[in-house]
mmCIF file of all heavy atoms in Angstrom:
data_model
loop_
_atom_site.group_PDB
_atom_site.id
_atom_site.type_symbol
_atom_site.label_atom_id
_atom_site.label_comp_id
_atom_site.label_asym_id
_atom_site.label_seq_id
_atom_site.Cartn_x
_atom_site.Cartn_y
_atom_site.Cartn_z
ATOM 1 N N VAL Q 12 0.818 -1.204 0.000
ATOM 2 C CA VAL Q 12 0.000 0.000 0.000
ATOM 3 C C VAL Q 12 0.858 1.263 0.000
ATOM 4 O O VAL Q 12 1.906 1.319 0.643
ATOM 5 C CB VAL Q 12 -0.957 0.012 1.214
ATOM 6 C CG1 VAL Q 12 -0.191 0.107 2.509
ATOM 7 C CG2 VAL Q 12 -1.974 1.128 1.117
ATOM 8 N N PHE Q 13 0.416 2.257 -0.759
ATOM 9 C CA PHE Q 13 1.030 3.585 -0.717
ATOM 10 C C PHE Q 13 0.028 4.541 -0.104
ATOM 11 O O PHE Q 13 -1.012 4.838 -0.682
ATOM 12 C CB PHE Q 13 1.417 4.072 -2.115
ATOM 13 C CG PHE Q 13 2.035 5.448 -2.112
ATOM 14 C CD1 PHE Q 13 3.398 5.605 -1.884
ATOM 15 C CD2 PHE Q 13 1.255 6.586 -2.313
ATOM 16 C CE1 PHE Q 13 3.971 6.866 -1.865
ATOM 17 C CE2 PHE Q 13 1.814 7.849 -2.288
ATOM 18 C CZ PHE Q 13 3.179 7.992 -2.059
ATOM 19 N N VAL Q 14 0.341 5.011 1.102
ATOM 20 C CA VAL Q 14 -0.546 5.932 1.793
ATOM 21 C C VAL Q 14 0.297 6.899 2.604
ATOM 22 O O VAL Q 14 1.397 6.555 3.060
ATOM 23 C CB VAL Q 14 -1.542 5.167 2.705
ATOM 24 C CG1 VAL Q 14 -0.830 4.469 3.852
ATOM 25 C CG2 VAL Q 14 -2.634 6.089 3.214
ATOM 26 N N ILE Q 15 -0.200 8.101 2.768
ATOM 27 C CA ILE Q 15 0.512 9.132 3.515
ATOM 28 C C ILE Q 15 0.157 9.035 4.992
ATOM 29 O O ILE Q 15 -1.012 8.971 5.362
ATOM 30 C CB ILE Q 15 0.175 10.530 2.985
ATOM 31 C CG1 ILE Q 15 0.497 10.621 1.487
ATOM 32 C CG2 ILE Q 15 0.935 11.603 3.761
ATOM 33 C CD1 ILE Q 15 1.944 10.364 1.142
ATOM 34 N N GLY Q 16 1.175 9.003 5.844
ATOM 35 C CA GLY Q 16 0.968 8.931 7.276
ATOM 36 C C GLY Q 16 0.620 10.274 7.877
ATOM 37 O O GLY Q 16 0.519 11.285 7.175
ATOM 38 N N GLU Q 17 0.468 10.293 9.208
ATOM 39 C CA GLU Q 17 0.083 11.520 9.894
ATOM 40 C C GLU Q 17 1.158 12.606 9.782
ATOM 41 O O GLU Q 17 0.872 13.797 9.927
ATOM 42 C CB GLU Q 17 -0.188 11.233 11.378
ATOM 43 C CG GLU Q 17 -1.128 10.064 11.653
ATOM 44 C CD GLU Q 17 -2.512 10.265 11.073
ATOM 45 O OE1 GLU Q 17 -2.836 11.371 10.633
ATOM 46 O OE2 GLU Q 17 -3.296 9.294 11.064
ATOM 47 N N ASN Q 18 2.403 12.203 9.531
ATOM 48 C CA ASN Q 18 3.489 13.173 9.429
ATOM 49 C C ASN Q 18 3.668 13.717 8.015
ATOM 50 O O ASN Q 18 4.638 14.438 7.740
ATOM 51 C CB ASN Q 18 4.800 12.546 9.908
ATOM 52 C CG ASN Q 18 5.188 11.305 9.115
ATOM 53 O OD1 ASN Q 18 4.601 11.008 8.078
ATOM 54 N ND2 ASN Q 18 6.169 10.582 9.612
ATOM 55 N N GLY Q 19 2.762 13.367 7.107
ATOM 56 C CA GLY Q 19 2.840 13.876 5.746
ATOM 57 C C GLY Q 19 3.774 13.099 4.842
ATOM 58 O O GLY Q 19 4.006 13.496 3.697
ATOM 59 N N ARG Q 20 4.312 11.983 5.326
ATOM 60 C CA ARG Q 20 5.229 11.169 4.541
ATOM 61 C C ARG Q 20 4.602 9.803 4.256
ATOM 62 O O ARG Q 20 3.778 9.332 5.037
ATOM 63 C CB ARG Q 20 6.544 10.970 5.297
ATOM 64 C CG ARG Q 20 7.258 12.267 5.644
ATOM 65 C CD ARG Q 20 8.513 11.969 6.448
ATOM 66 N NE ARG Q 20 9.201 13.180 6.849
ATOM 67 C CZ ARG Q 20 10.319 13.204 7.558
ATOM 68 N NH1 ARG Q 20 10.863 12.054 7.953
ATOM 69 N NH2 ARG Q 20 10.882 14.359 7.888
ATOM 70 N N PRO Q 21 4.995 9.160 3.151
ATOM 71 C CA PRO Q 21 4.463 7.823 2.873
ATOM 72 C C PRO Q 21 4.859 6.849 3.978
ATOM 73 O O PRO Q 21 5.986 6.891 4.479
ATOM 74 C CB PRO Q 21 5.129 7.442 1.544
ATOM 75 C CG PRO Q 21 5.510 8.751 0.918
ATOM 76 C CD PRO Q 21 5.863 9.650 2.058
ATOM 77 N N LEU Q 22 3.952 5.964 4.359
ATOM 78 C CA LEU Q 22 4.295 4.934 5.327
ATOM 79 C C LEU Q 22 5.351 4.020 4.720
ATOM 80 O O LEU Q 22 5.250 3.623 3.560
ATOM 81 C CB LEU Q 22 3.071 4.094 5.689
ATOM 82 C CG LEU Q 22 2.020 4.689 6.619
ATOM 83 C CD1 LEU Q 22 0.980 3.627 6.948
ATOM 84 C CD2 LEU Q 22 2.638 5.235 7.890
ATOM 85 N N PRO Q 23 6.372 3.661 5.500
ATOM 86 C CA PRO Q 23 7.385 2.746 4.980
ATOM 87 C C PRO Q 23 6.870 1.313 4.981
ATOM 88 O O PRO Q 23 5.880 0.989 5.635
ATOM 89 C CB PRO Q 23 8.539 2.915 5.975
ATOM 90 C CG PRO Q 23 7.855 3.263 7.258
ATOM 91 C CD PRO Q 23 6.676 4.119 6.865
ATOM 92 N N MET Q 24 7.557 0.450 4.255
ATOM 93 C CA MET Q 24 7.235 -0.973 4.298
ATOM 94 C C MET Q 24 7.741 -1.521 5.627
ATOM 95 O O MET Q 24 8.946 -1.516 5.879
ATOM 96 C CB MET Q 24 7.895 -1.699 3.127
ATOM 97 C CG MET Q 24 7.463 -1.216 1.760
ATOM 98 S SD MET Q 24 8.265 -2.182 0.442
ATOM 99 C CE MET Q 24 7.806 -1.198 -1.000
ATOM 100 N N SER Q 25 6.842 -1.995 6.464
ATOM 101 C CA SER Q 25 7.238 -2.468 7.792
ATOM 102 C C SER Q 25 6.098 -3.238 8.428
ATOM 103 O O SER Q 25 4.949 -3.163 7.981
ATOM 104 C CB SER Q 25 7.616 -1.286 8.693
ATOM 105 O OG SER Q 25 6.464 -0.523 9.006
ATOM 106 N N CYS Q 26 6.412 -3.959 9.507
ATOM 107 C CA CYS Q 26 5.383 -4.674 10.262
ATOM 108 C C CYS Q 26 4.414 -3.682 10.896
ATOM 109 O O CYS Q 26 3.213 -3.943 10.965
ATOM 110 C CB CYS Q 26 6.032 -5.545 11.314
ATOM 111 S SG CYS Q 26 4.869 -6.520 12.280
ATOM 112 N N ALA Q 27 4.929 -2.559 11.377
ATOM 113 C CA ALA Q 27 4.049 -1.555 11.973
ATOM 114 C C ALA Q 27 3.036 -1.050 10.946
ATOM 115 O O ALA Q 27 1.854 -0.890 11.249
ATOM 116 C CB ALA Q 27 4.872 -0.398 12.532
ATOM 117 N N SER Q 28 3.495 -0.801 9.721
ATOM 118 C CA SER Q 28 2.579 -0.354 8.668
ATOM 119 C C SER Q 28 1.539 -1.416 8.359
ATOM 120 O O SER Q 28 0.375 -1.110 8.068
ATOM 121 C CB SER Q 28 3.364 -0.013 7.396
ATOM 122 O OG SER Q 28 4.201 1.106 7.585
ATOM 123 N N ALA Q 29 1.938 -2.681 8.446
ATOM 124 C CA ALA Q 29 0.980 -3.763 8.234
ATOM 125 C C ALA Q 29 -0.140 -3.680 9.258
ATOM 126 O O ALA Q 29 -1.315 -3.889 8.936
ATOM 127 C CB ALA Q 29 1.682 -5.117 8.325
ATOM 128 N N GLY Q 30 0.222 -3.363 10.504
ATOM 129 C CA GLY Q 30 -0.801 -3.231 11.539
ATOM 130 C C GLY Q 30 -1.725 -2.070 11.301
ATOM 131 O O GLY Q 30 -2.961 -2.211 11.346
ATOM 132 N N PHE Q 31 -1.158 -0.886 11.034
ATOM 133 C CA PHE Q 31 -1.976 0.314 10.809
ATOM 134 C C PHE Q 31 -2.921 0.126 9.633
ATOM 135 O O PHE Q 31 -4.127 0.371 9.720
ATOM 136 C CB PHE Q 31 -1.080 1.528 10.511
ATOM 137 C CG PHE Q 31 -0.099 1.868 11.584
ATOM 138 C CD1 PHE Q 31 1.107 2.466 11.265
ATOM 139 C CD2 PHE Q 31 -0.369 1.598 12.916
ATOM 140 C CE1 PHE Q 31 2.021 2.791 12.247
ATOM 141 C CE2 PHE Q 31 0.540 1.924 13.909
ATOM 142 C CZ PHE Q 31 1.739 2.515 13.580
ATOM 143 N N THR Q 32 -2.339 -0.271 8.489
ATOM 144 C CA THR Q 32 -3.138 -0.360 7.264
ATOM 145 C C THR Q 32 -4.125 -1.515 7.325
ATOM 146 O O THR Q 32 -5.222 -1.429 6.766
ATOM 147 C CB THR Q 32 -2.221 -0.504 6.038
ATOM 148 O OG1 THR Q 32 -1.368 -1.653 6.196
ATOM 149 C CG2 THR Q 32 -1.343 0.734 5.881
ATOM 150 N N GLY Q 33 -3.732 -2.600 8.003
ATOM 151 C CA GLY Q 33 -4.654 -3.722 8.144
ATOM 152 C C GLY Q 33 -5.884 -3.359 8.959
ATOM 153 O O GLY Q 33 -7.010 -3.706 8.601
ATOM 154 N N MET Q 34 -5.665 -2.661 10.078
ATOM 155 C CA MET Q 34 -6.800 -2.240 10.899
ATOM 156 C C MET Q 34 -7.715 -1.295 10.131
ATOM 157 O O MET Q 34 -8.946 -1.400 10.217
ATOM 158 C CB MET Q 34 -6.295 -1.586 12.180
ATOM 159 C CG MET Q 34 -5.722 -2.565 13.179
ATOM 160 S SD MET Q 34 -5.335 -1.808 14.791
ATOM 161 C CE MET Q 34 -3.860 -0.883 14.358
ATOM 162 N N GLN Q 35 -7.128 -0.382 9.350
ATOM 163 C CA GLN Q 35 -7.960 0.552 8.597
ATOM 164 C C GLN Q 35 -8.704 -0.138 7.468
ATOM 165 O O GLN Q 35 -9.887 0.132 7.213
ATOM 166 C CB GLN Q 35 -7.100 1.685 8.040
ATOM 167 C CG GLN Q 35 -7.897 2.805 7.382
ATOM 168 C CD GLN Q 35 -8.811 3.499 8.362
ATOM 169 O OE1 GLN Q 35 -8.364 4.298 9.176
ATOM 170 N NE2 GLN Q 35 -10.107 3.207 8.302
ATOM 171 N N ALA Q 36 -8.028 -1.045 6.774
ATOM 172 C CA ALA Q 36 -8.671 -1.744 5.655
ATOM 173 C C ALA Q 36 -9.841 -2.593 6.132
ATOM 174 O O ALA Q 36 -10.921 -2.593 5.517
ATOM 175 C CB ALA Q 36 -7.648 -2.612 4.923
ATOM 176 N N THR Q 37 -9.655 -3.329 7.234
ATOM 177 C CA THR Q 37 -10.756 -4.170 7.724
ATOM 178 C C THR Q 37 -11.914 -3.318 8.229
ATOM 179 O O THR Q 37 -13.087 -3.668 8.020
ATOM 180 C CB THR Q 37 -10.272 -5.103 8.847
ATOM 181 O OG1 THR Q 37 -9.606 -4.340 9.858
ATOM 182 C CG2 THR Q 37 -9.331 -6.153 8.302
ATOM 183 N N ALA Q 38 -11.601 -2.194 8.859
ATOM 184 C CA ALA Q 38 -12.668 -1.304 9.315
ATOM 185 C C ALA Q 38 -13.475 -0.783 8.133
ATOM 186 O O ALA Q 38 -14.708 -0.683 8.194
ATOM 187 C CB ALA Q 38 -12.076 -0.136 10.105
ATOM 188 N N ALA Q 39 -12.767 -0.476 7.032
ATOM 189 C CA ALA Q 39 -13.456 0.036 5.844
ATOM 190 C C ALA Q 39 -14.302 -1.051 5.183
ATOM 191 O O ALA Q 39 -15.436 -0.795 4.747
ATOM 192 C CB ALA Q 39 -12.433 0.592 4.854
ATOM 193 N N ILE Q 40 -13.777 -2.260 5.100
ATOM 194 C CA ILE Q 40 -14.551 -3.350 4.507
ATOM 195 C C ILE Q 40 -15.821 -3.599 5.304
ATOM 196 O O ILE Q 40 -16.919 -3.722 4.749
ATOM 197 C CB ILE Q 40 -13.695 -4.631 4.425
ATOM 198 C CG1 ILE Q 40 -12.578 -4.457 3.395
ATOM 199 C CG2 ILE Q 40 -14.564 -5.841 4.060
ATOM 200 C CD1 ILE Q 40 -11.580 -5.596 3.376
#
């Protein structure tokens, strides 16, 4: 996923990003 974080920068590829984006994606679904 390419998404801008709260600091205005793209989220890096990482386990933490997997958690953030996963929680948001499931909430949206």
Side-chain angles (χ1 to χ4, degrees):
V12 66
F13 179 85
V14 66
I15 303 300
E17 310 299 349
N18 59 11
R20 301 177 182 180
L22 285 186
M24 299 182 190
S25 69
C26 182
S28 294
F31 301 150
T32 57
M34 287 188 286
Q35 187 63 76
T37 52
I40 291 172

